[in-house]
Amino acid sequence: MSRLIIEGNHRLNGTVSINGAKNSALPVLAATLLARGTSEIHNCPLLSDVAASVRILRYLGCTVSRSGSCVTVDSLGLCRSDIPDTLMREMRSSIVFLGAIAARTGEAHMSFPGGCELGTRPIDLHLSALRQLGMEIIEERGRLECKVNGRLKGTTIALSFPSVGATENILLASVTAEGTTSILNAAREPEIIDLCKYLSRCGARISGAGESAVTVEGVDTLYGCSHAVMPDRIETVTYMAAAAITGGSLVLKSVNPEHIATVLPAFEEAGCNIISSDGEISIVSPKRLHRIRSVRTMPYPGFPTDAQAPTMAMVTVADGTSVFIENIFESRYKHAGELMRLGARIKTEGRVAVVEGVPRLSGAQVDCTDLRGGAALVIAGLAADGITEVTQIHHIDRGYEKLEQNLCGLGAAIKRVE
Ligand code: UD1
């Protein structure tokens, strides 16, 4: 089992380039199944979740290769419509393959993605929407057996919550459906826009991407194309929090400041000086961070739930008390207990966490509880006195490319020990 050994109290300074977004690369890779021929996906981050998507594509019969940050997928050889349980378990977001496989092959067989570290993660919205498009779905003993008689049929689908994954599944299922599909209360995340850009380049007819009402006019066939994945907005926030907690200064390149427009004010409230321009953000942090009055996670364009843990780590050493209200996932404070091992003062109750800033953290052994919670522990370790040992780092490898190498390049002292 790998772990990270962090020697704290090194200021971060310098420039870092942000990678392509995991949460965009994964649905785009699933979407390549729909495109006859070859798609080149540029700016594809090197992550274990991306590797899991590639394994699924290869299992299904696609030819996939990687050269640098470009993943090339040829879906011509697609010959299966099932995903084995082991591959489904590797990555819970593999459920996004459901819409694409069923649309392309007329059937899909897979297990439920299962429970998860963020609490129960139901897929009822996905299944209800796909049923409305005409998919027959039998749920039996943890398995999904799906069949399409003829072609899926466009309809109006009103989501009771703007679920990112459900919106993606509907898009994947409807782009080649018969007739028009309207998605009401669709997720508006930038990753949805990125997926629609890829699909549109392949020949899909989508309007309203990034808005609450999205319209898809089904087409007969999609063709492969070339697409560059958008920058990772959560990786951006993670490096900003890492700089802030160490009192450092960073320039982040290859970013889209607009995507984190509701996060930047929180960093400014914490006393950071932020200048953003086209594709770049610079952050200069104060000697001691101030508290952030309140952070409420919301669907986009609100404060992203994925940025909650890194931001919480940052304010553990702020001057004053910060309050978090987690509105997206029911159980997303597991990192709080681990941060407390480092000396943070946090009280959680239900959806609320109250963080009373302390002057200093001290190194300890902590376990990653999930991807963003793991990043929060690394951030805290950067500012803790002495040595912090972070275990269960496979969670971090799901979503951060070369995190410790990048941080070391900025002045941190981190070793990965196998
Ligand atoms: C995606 C992101 C994840 C992010 C989340 C919210 C990917 C791979 N993952 O996850 O990093 O934290 O969006 O921004 O893109 N829900 C239901 N029924 C459903 C689907 C969702 O009740 O059928 C609930 C979930 O339990 C959760 C909320 O809706 O409470 C949001 O989930 P959703 O937007 O679907 O998140 P994901 O697509 O799973």
Side-chain angles (χ1 to χ4, degrees), residues 3 16 20 40 63 84 92 146 154 183 193 199 215 220 223-224 226 274 300 323 387-388 413:
R3 55 194 205 280
V16 65
E40 278 181 6
T63 308
R92 287 182 180 87
C146 311
I183 315 171
I193 302 181
L199 289 167
T215 306
D220 289 341
Y223 299 96
S226 178
I274 291 170
Y300 191 83
V323 176
I387 301 291
T388 297

Side-chain angles (χ1 to χ4, degrees), residues 256-285:
N256 188 336
E258 265 179 39
H259 289 168
I260 50 167
T262 47
V263 179
L264 297 180
F267 278 78
E268 281 167 340
E269 192 181 349
C272 299
N273 185 13
I274 291 170
I275 300 173
S276 50
S277 57
D278 201 21
E280 197 174 296
I281 294 177
S282 87
I283 173 169
V284 178
S285 330

Side-chain angles (χ1 to χ4, degrees), residues 3 24 45 81 83 101 164 178 224 228 246 258 271 282 286 298-299 306 325 337 357 359 380 386 390-391:
R3 55 194 205 280
S24 175
S81 48
I83 301 181
I101 295 177
V164 175
E178 201 180 303
T246 67
E258 265 179 39
S282 87
M298 301 282 232
D306 288 353
I325 301 153
V390 185
T391 55

